[in-house]
């Protein structure tokens, strides 16, 4: 509402910067600083979908296998050298092709 009142056409209808606007902006800044500080104090755990189901580590090079699951490239390559089944479903893998999961990689890098 304060923002809308600042857009009044006549100057006398607009709130004063010193007595009305500045105190509210300072209070908003204080609240934002408290929120930022409380977030930085929380240890951020990695999301579960960043973890390779084989190696149990955050993936550096996520790839989608034929079973539709995403794995760390090195871990799934090692797995498919000796197995023809999915490590997640225990069903036969129709092929051993791996596709890079760029969307997940981007999310991991941003995190």
């Amino acid at each position: 509402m304060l923002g809308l009142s600042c857009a009044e056409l006549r100057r006398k209808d607009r709130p004063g910067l010193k007595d009305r606007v500045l105190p509210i902006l300072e209070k908003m800044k204080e609240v934002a600083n408290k929120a930022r500080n409380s977030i930085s104090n929380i240890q951020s755990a990695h999301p579960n979908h960043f973890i390779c189901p084989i190696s149990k580590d955050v993936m550096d090079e996520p790839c989608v296998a034929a079973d539709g699951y995403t794995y760390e490239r090195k871990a799934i390559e090692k797995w498919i050298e000796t197995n023809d089944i999915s490590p997640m479903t225990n069903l036969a893998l129709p092929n051993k092709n791996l596709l890079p999961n760029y969307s997940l990689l981007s999310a991991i890098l941003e995190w």
Side-chain angles (χ1 to χ4, degrees):
M1 293 303 294
L2 181 63
L4 286 174
S5 66
C6 289
E8 287 291 336
L9 191 57
R10 294 182 299 188
R11 185 175 185 269
K12 69 178 186 165
D13 295 334
R14 294 191 295 255
L17 290 176
K18 185 176 181 181
D19 61 334
R20 295 253 338 262
V21 178
L22 189 58
I24 291 174
L25 290 176
E26 287 174 343
K27 191 174 282 190
M28 289 172 63
K29 181 180 176 185
E30 184 180 317
V31 169
N33 285 336
K34 283 182 184 178
R36 184 184 64 231
N37 291 338
S38 68
I39 288 173
S40 65
N41 291 336
I42 298 172
Q43 293 289 341
S44 63
H46 45 21
N48 288 338
H49 57 281
F50 290 0
I51 303 297
C52 174
I54 298 172
S55 67
K56 306 296 186 215
D57 289 323
V58 175
M59 293 180 268
D60 292 321
E61 195 177 354
C63 290
V64 180
D67 61 359
Y69 287 91
T70 299
Y71 306 94
E72 172 62 36
R73 178 179 288 281
K74 290 177 185 173
I76 191 64
E77 284 176 342
K78 187 174 180 181
W79 173 271
I80 60 179
E81 283 177 9
T82 57
N83 297 285
D84 291 329
I85 61 170
S86 163
M88 294 297 289
T89 65
N90 291 325
L91 298 175
L93 290 170
N95 62 62
K96 295 186 178 185
N97 298 332
L98 300 174
L99 298 172
N101 190 335
Y102 292 120
S103 297
L104 184 58
L105 177 60
S106 176
I108 291 169
L109 293 174
E110 187 176 321
W111 171 75

